[in-house]
Amino acid sequence: MTHQHRPWGYSNEQATSQGAAPDWELHEETLAVRAGLARSGFGETSEAMYLTSGYTYDSAEQAVHSFTDEVDHFVYSRFANPTVSMFEQRLAAIEGAEYCVATGSGMSAMFSAVACLVEAGDHIVAAASMFSSCYVVLSEILPKWGITVEFVKGSDPDVWAKALTKPTKVVFIESPSNPMLDVVDIQMVSDLAHKVGATVIVDNVMASPIMQKPLKHGADVVMYSATKHIDGQGRVLGGAILGSFDYIQGSLNPFIRHTGPTLSAFNAWVLVKSLETLSMRVNRMNESAQEVAEFLSNHPKVASVNYPGLKSHPGFEINKKQMSGGGTTLSFEISGGSEELFKVMDKLKVIDISNNLGDSKSLITHPASTTHRRLDPATRASMGISQSLARLSVGLEHASDLIKDLQQALQ
Ligand SMILES: *Cc1c(COP(=O)(O)O)cnc(C)c1O
């Protein structure tokens, strides 16, 4: 037993309240509304929010057995909480993963997912183009503890083949990457990684579980910032790690239970309700992002557009193999420098200037001076993040309003 998963099951079990579980495979949309639901004796329709840090026992004996995992009983909300478990089971059902562990932020998910596997002397290989805090963990924090990390160009198969010849503990990839939308072939990298004994961890934040399921393409572990598409309405921070029973029970839980990056029950409640609408939101945002990307790529003041849904994108074919569209986020460069770009951003009337992404509100940011300013200029340049690059997260507004807004701002 695990203290992470209660007897409610997370797929067909408990999907209906009438008792018997459906005897057919439920669709993702159905699981997103039904999976993991654990009703209390009050028969509430909605998921209940269990704001409790501790739990009581019927007897001293039951407490003993709960602590030794002989009876399935919540013991402390750092380990597990009913509302957090509902979120974990629902997300696991959507992802098609055996287990899910929720965390307080995307970064605590990323750090725990990697750190639980490595010790001094171990080696990590990572695709260089990634979210900047993940880069800091891999390039500065883990090396302090004697772990070596090699960064490679994620889109180049030859570079991977060369890097993955020596024993490697972890391979870390983000596809598409933030903010360059570089695409990594998950299956190709996973096959090479497994030959040298590595666990493949995918930061799937940009794609979301709706558009890409890395476990189906050979990856071992998937992590999320639930702050992005999963909440998708700019309210709470959260994270999640998904993988096999062996990974979660053998490596992650012994690490995470004592280091405590727990998701709060309140945030878990917001997130479990968000999962119900995730597919509708992400699919609509993806359709609009495609329209916006096409508009920008034909605009004379736009020098380049990075969006894996455009045929001109170098990763277009690989992306099509592993993701159901280009995604909700794109980046583009305008002719001129950051001064020109800032003028355009300041003129926007609908799209907000903000560094979040995956939100129902369209948000634009200048990565070089905000999300990725922590990187040294050479690293930033090697990732392709120039001063004239903007990242645009396309929200749920009507696509034609977003296009009009960009049009008037670019004029
Ligand atoms: C935002 C983000 C993270 C970190 O998530 P937080 O919830 O902000 O801690 C990690 N990876 C990617 C790709 C992100 O966009």
Side-chain angles (χ1 to χ4, degrees):
M1 261 175 279
T2 73
H3 293 307
Q4 292 294 340
H5 287 276
R6 298 296 120 185
W8 310 312
Y10 60 73
S11 54
N12 284 12
E13 283 169 63
Q14 282 284 337
T16 62
S17 52
Q18 282 77 21
D23 57 1
W24 65 92
E25 274 297 302
L26 295 174
H27 288 82
E28 185 174 289
E29 291 81 356
T30 311
L31 293 169
V33 177
R34 299 273 169 185
L37 174 59
R39 290 203 167 106
S40 78
F42 295 116
E44 65 281 356
T45 315
S46 173
E47 293 68 13
M49 193 196 303
Y50 292 95
L51 286 180
T52 183
S53 44
Y55 305 86
T56 61
Y57 308 94
D58 295 338
S59 64
E61 186 89 32
Q62 192 191 32
V64 174
H65 293 312
S66 302
F67 267 80
T68 53
D69 266 358
E70 287 154 42
V71 299
D72 207 17
H73 193 295
F74 286 98
V75 295
Y76 189 50
S77 285
R78 169 150 44 81
F79 307 149
N81 167 283
T83 310
V84 176
S85 287
M86 285 192 251
F87 169 65
E88 291 169 335
Q89 293 183 24
R90 187 164 291 180
L91 184 57
I94 295 171
E95 188 77 43
E98 280 180 21
Y99 277 85
C100 173
V101 174
T103 59
S105 70
M107 283 322 301
S108 58
M110 183 272 172
F111 178 70
S112 304
V114 177
C116 76
L117 289 171
V118 292
E119 57 187 63
D122 281 343
H123 185 61
I124 296 176
V125 179
S129 193
M130 68 173 80
F131 183 68
S132 76
S133 289
C134 298
Y135 191 81
V136 172
V137 168
L138 293 175
S139 65
E140 294 178 28
I141 296 173
L142 292 177
K144 276 201 304 200
W145 299 328
I147 292 143
T148 56
V149 185
E150 181 182 352
F151 293 95
V152 300
K153 188 172 186 316
S155 57
D156 188 341
D158 296 340
V159 174
W160 281 108
K162 218 162 122 204
L164 292 173
T165 48
K166 46 183 173 281
T168 302
K169 216 40 179 288
V170 170
V171 166
F172 185 83
I173 54 184
E174 183 183 314
S175 182
S177 70
N178 178 0
M180 292 310 293
L181 289 307
D182 285 351
V183 173
V184 180
D185 187 333
I186 299 169
Q187 187 73 59
M188 180 272 292
V189 172
S190 298
D191 290 345
L192 289 170
H194 292 152
K195 284 192 195 136
V196 290
T199 299
V200 178
I201 302 176
V202 177
D203 181 339
N204 204 35
V205 169
M206 299 293 279
S208 92
I210 301 304
M211 302 203 66
Q212 178 169 274
K213 297 197 165 51
L215 301 178
K216 284 198 182 142
H217 302 285
D220 304 294
V221 176
V222 177
M223 57 128 298
Y224 289 104
S225 163
T227 319
K228 311 294 165 59
H229 301 91
I230 294 177
D231 172 33
Q233 290 145 90
R235 300 164 299 186
V236 299
L237 276 92
I241 305 159
L242 297 108
S244 66
F245 176 82
D246 282 353
Y247 168 77
I248 302 279
Q249 282 306 99
S251 303
L252 185 68
N253 267 343
F255 179 87
I256 221 164
R257 285 171 62 117
H258 305 291
T259 49
T262 316
L263 179 66
S264 82
F266 178 86
N267 288 7
W269 180 81
V270 172
L271 295 171
V272 77
K273 298 306 287 177
S274 303
L275 286 178
E276 297 185 348
T277 55
L278 181 63
S279 132
M280 285 165 55
R281 288 185 283 110
V282 167
N283 286 323
R284 171 58 66 86
M285 286 152 71
N286 171 61
E287 283 166 21
S288 300
Q290 180 76 36
E291 281 186 49
V292 171
E294 282 165 16
F295 161 76
L296 286 172
S297 62
N298 291 318
H299 197 285
K301 288 215 177 120
V302 175
S304 66
V305 179
N306 305 308
Y307 184 66
L310 294 176
K311 284 208 179 71
S312 56
H313 189 283
F316 176 78
E317 288 300 333
I318 289 163
N319 197 65
K320 215 163 85 177
K321 204 175 68 165
Q322 60 196 24
M323 187 166 159
S324 63
T328 67
T329 303
L330 56 97
S331 57
F332 63 95
E333 280 178 309
I334 67 152
S335 321
S338 61
E339 230 171 89
E340 274 303 304
L341 178 60
F342 281 22
K343 273 190 219 148
V344 173
M345 289 169 67
D346 291 347
K347 274 198 217 149
L348 291 165
K349 295 176 175 169
V350 176
I351 299 166
D352 288 313
I353 300 171
S354 172
N355 46 278
N356 202 1
L357 63 88
D359 200 277
S360 53
K361 293 181 171 60
S362 293
L363 306 173
I364 194 165
T365 192
H366 180 241
S369 63
T370 60
T371 55
H372 289 68
R373 72 180 267 280
R374 180 75 179 65
L375 304 177
D376 67 81
T379 307
R380 238 186 354 247
S382 75
M383 290 184 181
I385 304 169
S386 71
Q387 286 299 326
S388 53
L389 182 88
R391 185 191 71 196
L392 175 62
S393 166
V394 176
L396 288 172
E397 304 93 341
H398 199 286
S400 69
D401 287 327
L402 300 175
I403 289 170
K404 274 186 197 149
D405 197 25
L406 286 161
Q407 184 133 44
Q408 61 86 23
L410 283 162
Q411 227 146 52

